[in-house]
Amino acid sequence: MRNLIAFPVIVLAVILQSAVVSRLTLLSGFGDLPMVMLAAWALQDNVDSAWHWAVATGILVGFVSGIPWAVYALGYVLVVAMAKVLRMRVWQAPLLAMFSVTFLGTVLVSVLSLAVLRVFGVAIPLQDAFGLLILPGVLLNLLLAIPVYAVMRDLAHWAYPSLEVE
């Protein structure tokens, strides 16, 4: 039953990403709400379904974007892996872990996307890609990180009641 919550949350995140978040640009960069959502979900204690969420979200985001779904699935699985490692290491400061995973995940997914675009023949100069796409995307994702973390923490408390603090 707990895994069924993934479908509406993932679909809502992808719809919000394609309809709202991708239209809010800074220079040419935009936020990646599904990636930030996955990072926040993977950082929650006792959440064991983050890997499934990463693959499903990667496939769905790849379906609505022009980049192959395997790029997003791989990138999102790597983001979840980073979040799991940081949760074990930085357990005392969950927001620090959230900011770290958001920063590194944004750079990782952006670099993977740019590499695939380069393979397909779209040559974007690295300085332009870094200054106009990646850094603004990092900033927008960091702005999304705190509210998304709060929502995902509440969702984790609802889905996994044993997480309740007494």
Side-chain angles (χ1 to χ4, degrees):
M1 188 66 167
R2 292 177 181 164
N3 292 333
L4 292 178
I5 191 77
F7 295 112
V9 172
I10 291 170
V11 169
L12 180 65
V14 172
I15 289 171
L16 283 173
Q17 171 66 31
S18 63
V20 178
V21 177
S22 66
R23 307 290 187 255
L24 302 173
T25 60
L26 179 64
L27 297 176
S28 293
F30 56 90
D32 189 355
L33 180 64
M35 191 269 309
V36 175
M37 175 207 58
L38 284 172
W41 184 251
L43 285 171
Q44 304 304 316
D45 293 330
N46 296 335
V47 169
D48 56 355
S49 60
W51 301 104
H52 305 106
W53 283 46
V55 173
T57 306
I59 291 171
L60 193 57
V61 169
F63 179 72
V64 299
S65 76
I67 296 176
W69 65 269
V71 173
Y72 283 109
L74 174 66
Y76 290 166
V77 166
L78 291 174
V79 167
V80 168
M82 280 190 293
K84 294 286 188 182
V85 167
L86 279 178
R87 189 186 65 182
M88 288 186 280
R89 304 276 187 229
V90 193
W91 62 273
Q92 298 257 350
L95 281 179
L96 176 63
M98 181 65 189
F99 286 139
S100 301
V101 171
T102 300
F103 177 80
L104 294 172
T106 302
V107 171
L108 177 75
V109 171
S110 298
V111 167
L112 283 174
S113 299
L114 289 172
V116 167
L117 287 174
R118 192 166 286 254
V119 166
F120 286 147
V122 178
I124 300 172
L126 291 179
Q127 289 179 340
D128 290 344
F130 188 73
L132 297 174
L133 294 172
I134 296 175
L135 284 180
V138 166
L139 179 63
L140 290 171
N141 282 344
L142 288 174
L143 290 173
L144 286 172
I146 293 175
V148 170
Y149 183 81
V151 169
M152 296 309 287
R153 185 188 63 220
D154 290 345
L155 183 66
H157 285 308
W158 179 74
Y160 297 91
S162 63
L163 296 177
E164 298 283 333
V165 178
E166 297 178 21

